[in-house]
Amino acid sequence: SSLRRTSSHENEMPRFTSLLLRRAPHMARAAASVASKRGMASVAPAHPNPHIQSSQDQLWYRFHNTWPVQVPMSMQMPGTPGADVGVVATAPVMQMSTLSNGITVVTESKSSLGCSMAIFSATGSRLETHETHGASHFLQHLAYKATEGKSHFGMTRAVEKLGGHVACGASRDCITYAGECMSSSAGELFGLMAETFLAPRLDKLDMDNARGLVMADIQNTIKNGSFAVQDVLHTVAYQGETLGAPLMCSPQTAEEMTGSVISMFKAANYGAGRIVVSAVGVEHSAMVAYVEEHLGELAKGSVGAISPATYVGGDCRVPSDPGQVHVAIGLKGVDCSDKEVVAAAVLQSLLGGGDQFSAGGPGKGLTSRIFRNVLSNPEVLTATSFNVSYQDTGLFGIQATSSAQDAPKTVALLARELKSLRSGVTPEELERAKNMTASSLFLNLETMGIVTEDLGRQTMYYGKRKGGAAVAEEINAVTMDQLAALAGKMLASPVSVAAYGDVAFVPSYPEITSMLSK
């Protein structure tokens, strides 16, 4: 009976003391003192966490094993690894290897407990045919769902047990499977990434689930005019071929999509020679071993040259909901390997952009040309420059949103800004644009996931990777004459005009081209 009373008393005391702590710290200290006198913590055994050393810390932890709400800042979170105070982080080291089947593995070291990994397949919507249209969009929504070896629930639970975060994205020239977790779990998470990449389950139930997500994407795009007008611009710039193929699946095709179409697309485009695996925070030798284990048996496949994208230009208007109109004026830009690719980025920073409520920042500051000369007009709701580079071509220009009746003035303002680039830039504008470009670069490279993407994409496009310092030197070397020459070259190319929404008041194509002429 005495033992039972003691046990009951010990079980109730922590709850009592915890309640006191919420109300009055001095009362909690008094309760802890009384508990100590009763022998509850007078001779406490060593705690497994070496940072919890004193009997007072042990007693506090015993009463308050409810992190993270009540752990004080002076005490290390129970169960978490300690920081190496005073240890200098080493400079990142990049390493690259190519496996026997053609897969390229590129890694960068990082002083971090976490890691980021990605599988890049140089495919995307530009490689879709009439028969396989929409396959890459469906693959994006089949990722990290059911596979040939796991159910959807099993895949989700496996990722959750590792504390991982995963994502998949399909673009015009690439499908990316990405994942982040603790470095100690990198091998297990990469195994799950490789499994969903190689063997997504394509049964009718799985296709129906993906179909629902694809249809939701289509509906969201219809409402997102800024995204839709870019898709229309690519269609008219490349006349519906290669990069002009729709990024998203059409509703009619989505309704009819089957697993056999997905299998056909994968068989034609998922060769090992088109795959790049990048990682940050994983030892290079370990990452190579993971790729060998999970992707080493993948056949090299066809790595023939991708059909080049031919920039044509033209005019396309897609009527949609009344009220607002989204307009984009595009010119032929530069491809990823062009020596002027950095200059084009600086030119975009100089133009900048944002909306009527822009808070400033790299690339859309209050001193950018678009903000001063376009967004200062209340008729223009949003306006921003764009600069998209692909392996073999690029697009450069400005897009804006306004009320339908204000479309003529909005288009005139956009054309005036593009035309003014022929006149060159001032030294102050150049310096500001270079600073904005460099700051945006280094800000992005602080994020481990972006570094992983940068490693993969540069390797996929160039076969090598330029570091941030090297790119910063190129930014600093850009001159006023260089920007003027680049602008003149782009303005000499055919004009692409895209409009989405209430397009009735958008000026005609000949009117827009005349605005841009000398």
Side-chain angles (χ1 to χ4, degrees):
S1 174
S2 174
L3 288 175
R4 282 196 298 273
R5 283 197 298 273
T6 303
S7 176
S8 174
H9 178 74
E10 289 182 353
N11 289 336
E12 293 173 3
M13 177 60 77
R15 295 178 59 193
F16 170 69
T17 311
S18 181
L19 181 62
L20 288 176
L21 264 182
R22 293 192 186 98
R23 296 184 177 180
H26 65 278
M27 295 178 67
R29 287 194 294 270
S33 176
V34 171
S36 178
K37 290 177 181 179
R38 290 179 181 178
M40 292 181 63
S42 57
V43 187
H47 196 275
N49 188 330
H51 296 274
I52 301 178
Q53 298 175 350
S54 70
S55 59
Q56 184 179 1
D57 284 343
Q58 292 190 37
L59 179 62
W60 197 97
Y61 177 70
R62 184 177 182 182
F63 285 168
H64 303 87
N65 189 14
T66 56
W67 79 278
V69 178
Q70 296 173 330
V71 178
M73 295 296 291
S74 59
M75 173 181 169
Q76 179 169 332
M77 188 71 71
T80 61
D84 295 327
V85 180
V87 176
V88 179
T90 57
V93 176
M94 193 200 78
Q95 293 178 272
M96 186 184 300
S97 300
T98 302
L99 306 188
S100 57
N101 62 351
I103 295 178
T104 301
V105 182
V106 56
T107 64
E108 183 172 285
S109 61
K110 185 175 179 66
S111 301
S112 172
L113 295 174
C115 69
S116 175
M117 301 172 289
I119 301 172
F120 293 85
S121 179
T123 52
S125 61
R126 73 175 297 171
L127 293 180
E128 292 174 355
T129 63
H130 178 72
E131 292 77 15
T132 60
H133 164 62
S136 56
H137 192 183
F138 266 79
L139 279 167
Q140 174 181 331
H141 290 297
L142 287 166
Y144 302 108
K145 305 294 194 301
T147 67
E148 295 297 334
K150 286 184 178 65
S151 65
H152 184 181
F153 177 79
M155 173 63 73
T156 302
R157 289 293 293 147
V159 173
E160 288 178 344
K161 285 177 66 177
L162 299 175
H165 174 75
V166 293
C168 179
S171 63
R172 287 183 165 80
D173 59 350
C174 181
I175 299 179
T176 308
Y177 296 76
E180 295 182 354
C181 65
M182 299 295 285
S183 297
S184 56
S185 303
E188 296 172 79
L189 184 63
F190 185 78
L192 299 174
M193 293 166 59
E195 183 177 354
T196 196
F197 170 69
L198 292 175
R201 200 173 66 190
L202 303 176
D203 295 345
K204 185 179 184 303
L205 174 63
D206 306 297
M207 295 301 296
D208 287 343
N209 290 337
R211 196 181 333 274
L213 297 172
V214 168
M215 295 301 287
D217 278 352
I218 295 171
Q219 292 302 314
N220 290 335
T221 301
I222 292 174
K223 301 173 185 177
N224 185 354
S226 297
F227 177 88
V229 76
Q230 276 291 320
D231 207 35
V232 176
L233 183 68
H234 278 76
T235 300
V236 68
Y238 301 104
Q239 297 297 299
E241 300 294 331
T242 59
L243 291 172
L247 179 59
M248 304 186 74
C249 185
S250 66
Q252 298 80 4
T253 303
E255 292 290 353
E256 302 170 358
M257 182 65 70
T258 63
S260 60
V261 175
I262 305 297
S263 298
M264 185 191 311
F265 179 78
K266 289 183 61 184
N269 300 293
Y270 266 35
R274 283 183 174 163
I275 294 174
V276 173
V277 176
S278 62
V280 176
V282 184
E283 288 289 338
H284 184 75
S285 57
M287 196 68 221
V288 170
Y290 300 151
V291 179
E292 283 275 16
E293 178 183 358
H294 299 290
L295 299 177
E297 298 301 319
L298 183 64
K300 188 166 186 177
S302 173
V303 290
I306 297 175
S307 298
T310 303
Y311 179 86
V312 178
D315 183 34
C316 184
R317 294 138 195 259
V318 179
S320 186
D321 296 337
Q324 288 187 348
V325 63
H326 306 268
V327 182
I329 301 177
L331 307 166
K332 184 180 180 181
V334 297
D335 61 65
C336 290
S337 57
D338 194 296
K339 63 180 181 180
E340 300 294 350
V341 66
V342 172
V346 173
L347 200 60
Q348 182 196 8
S349 295
L350 184 141
L351 287 173
D355 55 42
Q356 289 287 0
F357 303 99
S358 175
K364 59 169 189 173
L366 302 180
T367 55
S368 67
R369 281 193 176 186
I370 287 179
F371 200 96
R372 288 185 286 113
N373 304 330
V374 179
L375 287 168
S376 57
N377 296 272
E379 296 86 355
V380 184
L381 303 177
T382 68
T384 183
S385 58
F386 58 84
N387 174 40
V388 188
S389 293
Y390 298 103
Q391 190 170 3
D392 49 356
T393 186
L395 273 175
F396 186 94
I398 307 176
Q399 71 178 67
T401 303
S402 71
S403 297
Q405 303 91 313
D406 296 322
K409 181 174 182 179
T410 299
V411 170
L413 290 170
L414 301 187
R416 186 184 70 182
E417 284 310 304
L418 287 172
K419 181 179 177 180
S420 69
L421 294 175
R422 283 197 179 98
S423 303
V425 301
T426 66
E428 181 183 1
E429 283 182 317
L430 175 63
E431 191 65 24
R432 184 185 297 121
K434 292 197 291 187
N435 288 339
M436 292 167 71
T437 307
S439 65
S440 179
L441 168 69
F442 286 111
L443 181 65
N444 283 320
L445 291 179
E446 287 294 315
T447 305
M448 189 159 52
I450 294 180
V451 176
T452 304
E453 180 181 3
D454 187 51
L455 282 168
R457 284 192 174 273
Q458 286 204 44
T459 303
M460 185 172 64
Y461 291 145
Y462 315 129
K464 60 181 181 180
R465 190 234 181 179
K466 290 181 183 178
V471 177
E473 289 180 5
E474 294 185 20
I475 293 172
N476 193 50
V478 173
T479 64
M480 292 186 291
D481 291 341
Q482 188 178 0
L483 292 185
L486 175 61
K489 178 181 176 182
M490 291 191 295
L491 285 163
S493 66
V495 180
S496 296
V497 176
Y500 181 87
D502 194 344
V503 300
F505 297 94
V506 178
S508 67
Y509 184 74
E511 287 177 309
I512 296 174
T513 54
S514 66
M515 294 177 192
L516 291 167
S517 64
K518 295 181 179 180

